[in-house]
Structures are given as C-alpha cells and as structure tokens.
C-alpha cells in the first residue's frame, strides 16, 4: 500500500467517537435500532427535511430514491455524465434509461439547465442533479425547469453534506435527495447513506423498501411492539447498523466545524494558485455556503495532465480525476452523446488533496509541486 505524504482525503476519528461506538457494541443490539432512529432525526433536523432514512450506502440511497419516486421501465432520467457511476447505475437499477446532459462550463462542472432542457423528450420523467463538490450549481434553475415541465427533480447529494444555498440545504431542492457516508465524504463512517424527503408517502415507501418491504422491524418485535409482519413490496436489505449510526451521529456534530476548516483551505488554495494559469473550478456565489468536498483545477490545454499527476505522485501527493465520464465507460457506453464540455473537463481536470486537518505546510507542498509540474510542461512546449 502506498503511503502518501499528502493523501487526497483523510479521516480522523476522535476518542469520543470511538468510545460511543464501543458503548454501542457493548449494548448488544447491533442491527438497525434506536441509534439509527436518533441519527435519522438528527440528520433530518440538520438538513431541514421532514424525513431522513438511513441506509447501507449512498448507492442504496440513490436506488431507493429512484424507485420511491416511481421511476421505472420506459422512463428517461436526465443525468450528468460527469459524476460517480453510481448516480447512473441507480437509474438503471430502477429499470429506466439514463440520458446524459453536458456540464455548464469548465469552471462550472455541473449539469447545465440549458442542456437538460434540450434533452427533454416525451419519455423524460426526472432530472437527477449532482451538486458537484458540494456546489449548488444550477439547482434553482433546474427546480424551476422541472416544475414548469412537470418533471421530478432528484438530487445525488453525496458531495453536499453541510452545503446550504440561501440557508436551504442541498439535497432538499428536489422531491428526494440521497447522501453518502462513504469514507472519503465530508460526513464519513465507512459505508452508509441517507435518503431525505418532505413527502410522507415517499418516506414510508423508502422505509419499507430498505427492510425487505416488511411492515414491522426486528427492533419493533424485540420491543414487543409487533408479533408478526406482512411483506407489502419486494424490498431490499439496505439497513444501516447501530455502530455506524452512532458514529454518523457523533460526526454530524462536527460537520459544520470541519466544513469551515475546508472552506479556509479552499480559500487558501485559490490564493496560492492565483499566479498559475489554471481554472480553479466552482467559483463562490452569493448565498452559497458549500461543503467544499473537492478542490478541482482545470489545467491549461497545453499541459499533459498525466505527467503532472505522475510528478505529484513522485512527491508523495495523491490526486484524482472527478470523474472519468460515465458515458465513456464500457457499461454505459454512449460515444455518440454530444458532451464536449464534459469530455474536455475530464481530460484536463485534477482534484487536489483536501481534508479538514490538511496543514498549511502540506498544502504548500501540494502547490509547490503543482507549480513545478505545470511550469515545466509549459516551458517545454
Ligand atoms: C460517493 C458517491 C456515490 C456513492 O456513494 P456510496 O456511499 O459509495 O455508495 C454516489 N454519487 C456520488 C456523486 C458520489 O460521490
């Protein structure tokens, strides 16, 4: 295993997180129960949604979101190609067809509302937006477009834990939102996800589908609240367990403080990168307090991104590309899709290390190595 001097992401658990998890194990009740319920009500309050349903992964959250929203065979769902593949897989799990739309610009790597509108057909049922890096992107325009064209707006809010636009949490702009608790996310426990909605019926469907479509839970029966159950739909086992619910609730209390540390580092990256001829993506906009999940730059066209990445790796700095376009993967191949901005972005973009406890010294190391790599490439052209 490579030990990076500066990894892309890093998670530090506090002693009281660990103590709370140990206490949960000592309680003897490990599958979904009171701590999951407590985390759900904490998270619902945190994002300002009526309901939060904890599940086993962000991908499970996306799947249940699509199924509960009534998406199925014959439906088209407009998605970005510049996203993690799970966004698109979820549409396919539900039996629908993903239709890829382009991003707004190299500096604004999220769904373009104009491109979405152009992709609408009589079969379009929903738009599945992904707040890239935790930025709101064009979510308000998309919400207005969906209302006007009677489409369902869904959000893959995996990057957006703690992101608010005019005080409203991202993931609550559509009918349903899906969050991830994966290791490298802002609110991380390893594996886990959360579905949020204000709709009582959708929440009830999501709760049932999460646990085999059953009408009662093991926890209800353990407490003597129910003796048996019916199965009302063919559901899944997408439950989150108690230890991870405990950890999620503990870490949720620190999320705003950790996102503030990310905000300071994001600002500092922008200052330090100013002299370089780069596009630093995701500009600040009025009223937006983002999660700062990612800091991503677009290198000059003349620069060989893979050489830059190799140079940084040689200095012990891990980087990434968010994302290889989904429409160019073997599983979802659509080489005919007209997504020129997505393709150019995916060729030139580079994600830099960012985590709350990244030190100024580590950040300087990243910027110095990037400066050397980019200058070398430009001089040698
Ligand atoms: C992480 C991520 C997911 C998947 O979440 P998991 O919890 O890993 O299943 C989906 N979409 C996006 C945009 C993500 O970043």
């Amino acid at each position: 295993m490579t030990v990076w001097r500066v990894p892309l992401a890093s998670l530090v658990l506090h002693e009281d997180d660990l103590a709370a998890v140990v206490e949960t194990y000592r309680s003897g009740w490990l599958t979904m129960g009171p701590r999951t319920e407590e985390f759900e009500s904490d998270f619902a309050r945190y994002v300002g949604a009526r309901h939060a349903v904890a599940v086993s992964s962000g991908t499970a959250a996306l799947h249940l979101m699509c199924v509960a929203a009534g998406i199925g065979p014959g439906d088209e769902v407009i998605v970005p190609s510049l996203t993690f593949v799970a966004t698109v897989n979820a549409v396919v799990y539900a039996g629908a067809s993903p239709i890829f739309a382009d991003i707004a610009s190299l500096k604004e790597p999220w769904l373009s509302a104009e491109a979405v509108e152009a992709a609408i057909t009589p079969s379009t049922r929903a738009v599945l937006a992904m707040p890239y890096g935790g930025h709101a992107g064009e979510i308000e325009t998309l919400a207005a477009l969906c209302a006007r064209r009677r489409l369902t707006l869904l959000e893959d809010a995996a990057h957006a834990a703690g992101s608010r636009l005019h005080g409203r949490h991202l993931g609550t702009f559509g009918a349903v939102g899906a969050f991830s608790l994966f290791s490298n996310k802002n609110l991380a426990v390893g594996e886990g996800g959360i579905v949020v909605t204000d709709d009582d019926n959708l929440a009830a469907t999501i709760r049932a589908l999460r646990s085999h479509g059953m009408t009662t839970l093991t926890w209800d029966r353990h407490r003597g609240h129910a003796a048996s159950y019916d199965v009302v739909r063919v559901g899944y086992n997408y439950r989150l367990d108690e230890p991870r619910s405990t950890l999620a609730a503990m870490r949720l209390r620190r999320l705003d403080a950790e996102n503030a540390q990310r905000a300071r580092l994001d600002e500092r990256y922008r200052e330090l990168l100013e002299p370089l001829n780069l596009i630093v993506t995701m500009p600040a906009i009025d009223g937006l307090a983002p999660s700062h999940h990612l800091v991503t730059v677009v290198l000059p066209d003349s620069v060989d991104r893979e050489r830059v990445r190799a140079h940084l790796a040689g200095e012990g700095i891990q980087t990434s590309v968010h994302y290889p376009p989904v429409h160019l993967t073997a599983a979802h191949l659509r080489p005919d899709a007209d997504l020129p901005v997505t393709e150019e972005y995916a060729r030139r973009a580079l994600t830099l290390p960012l985590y709350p406890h990244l030190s100024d010294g580590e950040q300087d190391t990243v910027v110095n190595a990037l400066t050397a790599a980019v200058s070398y490439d430009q001089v040698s052209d």
Side-chain angles (χ1 to χ4, degrees):
M1 182 176 161
T2 312
V3 179
W4 298 100
R5 189 144 67 108
V6 188
L8 188 67
S10 166
L11 179 59
V12 169
L13 299 183
H14 295 227
E15 282 307 315
D16 52 344
D17 297 341
L18 300 175
V21 171
V22 168
E23 191 195 305
T24 300
Y25 275 108
R26 288 216 171 96
S27 78
W29 190 266
L30 300 186
T31 188
M32 194 171 77
R35 289 164 184 91
T36 310
E37 281 175 14
E38 202 176 309
F39 168 60
E40 289 177 338
S41 61
D42 290 353
F43 195 79
R45 201 173 325 112
Y46 179 80
V47 300
R50 273 176 70 81
H51 304 280
V53 184
V55 294
S56 52
S57 69
T59 303
L62 289 165
H63 181 194
L64 295 188
M65 170 171 85
C66 289
V67 173
I71 286 159
D75 293 334
E76 292 180 354
V77 178
I78 300 173
V79 294
S81 174
L82 193 75
T83 185
F84 184 58
V85 65
T87 318
V88 181
N89 284 346
V91 171
V92 176
Y93 297 161
S97 304
I99 303 295
F100 297 105
D102 213 348
I103 55 174
S105 72
L106 293 180
K107 195 169 186 153
E108 301 160 304
W110 39 72
L111 266 185
S112 149
E114 200 182 312
V116 167
E117 182 148 32
I120 295 173
T121 74
S123 301
T124 307
R125 173 74 185 255
V127 176
L128 176 38
M130 197 281 274
Y132 187 104
H135 198 288
E138 301 191 6
I139 197 70
E140 287 179 312
T141 316
L142 287 173
L145 173 65
C146 286
R148 186 155 42 82
R149 303 294 295 265
R150 299 186 187 288
L151 303 174
T152 302
L153 177 63
L154 303 172
E155 283 175 275
D156 177 349
H159 295 185
S163 289
R164 297 177 190 86
L165 179 63
H166 305 302
R168 181 166 172 187
H169 205 289
L170 293 179
T172 68
F173 282 76
V176 195
F179 291 83
S180 167
L181 301 171
F182 184 67
S183 300
N184 62 12
K185 303 294 167 22
N186 292 40
L187 180 62
V189 305
E191 301 286 354
I194 318 155
V195 193
V196 301
T197 182
D198 282 338
D199 185 305
D200 297 349
N201 292 324
L202 289 183
T205 302
I206 292 161
R207 283 184 194 286
L209 288 175
R210 164 181 64 177
S211 196
H212 307 289
M214 289 160 67
T215 50
T216 69
L217 303 175
T218 315
W219 175 242
D220 298 324
R221 295 191 296 280
H222 176 74
R223 287 183 297 170
H225 291 188
S228 186
Y229 58 84
D230 190 14
V231 177
V232 289
R233 292 184 64 150
V234 177
Y236 308 90
N237 176 357
Y238 280 169
R239 292 181 302 261
L240 190 65
D241 62 16
E242 290 279 277
R244 282 179 292 169
S245 298
T246 299
L247 186 57
M250 293 296 288
R251 293 193 37 72
L252 181 60
R253 298 189 207 164
R254 274 193 273 279
L255 180 59
D256 285 338
E258 291 191 350
N259 284 353
Q261 289 174 282
R262 288 172 177 271
R264 187 189 76 82
L265 291 160
D266 182 320
E267 186 68 40
R268 192 165 181 273
Y269 260 131
R270 284 171 202 274
E271 282 161 21
L272 296 172
L273 293 171
E274 185 83 55
L276 293 184
N277 180 23
L278 303 173
I279 298 170
V280 184
T281 71
M282 298 181 267
I285 59 166
D286 263 3
L288 177 69
S291 60
H292 301 278
H293 176 58
L294 301 175
V295 166
T296 299
V297 298
V298 177
L299 300 176
D301 204 12
S302 58
V303 169
D304 177 345
R305 192 219 9 229
E306 294 321 307
R307 195 158 67 185
V308 170
R309 291 193 70 192
H311 178 83
L312 291 173
E315 299 282 318
I317 300 161
Q318 188 185 17
T319 59
S320 188
V321 174
H322 291 88
Y323 289 93
V326 178
H327 77 284
L328 299 181
T329 63
H332 298 284
L333 195 60
R334 286 289 310 276
D336 54 317
D338 187 26
L339 304 166
V341 192
T342 295
E343 289 178 12
E344 187 173 352
Y345 185 89
R347 188 168 57 75
R348 292 170 52 188
L350 182 69
T351 300
L352 302 177
L354 181 66
Y355 41 90
H357 53 279
L358 178 74
S359 71
D360 288 5
E362 287 167 334
Q363 193 176 31
D364 293 341
T365 301
V366 174
V367 172
N368 292 339
L370 182 62
T371 305
V374 170
S375 319
Y376 174 83
D377 248 42
Q378 285 188 309
V379 169
S380 64
D381 277 338

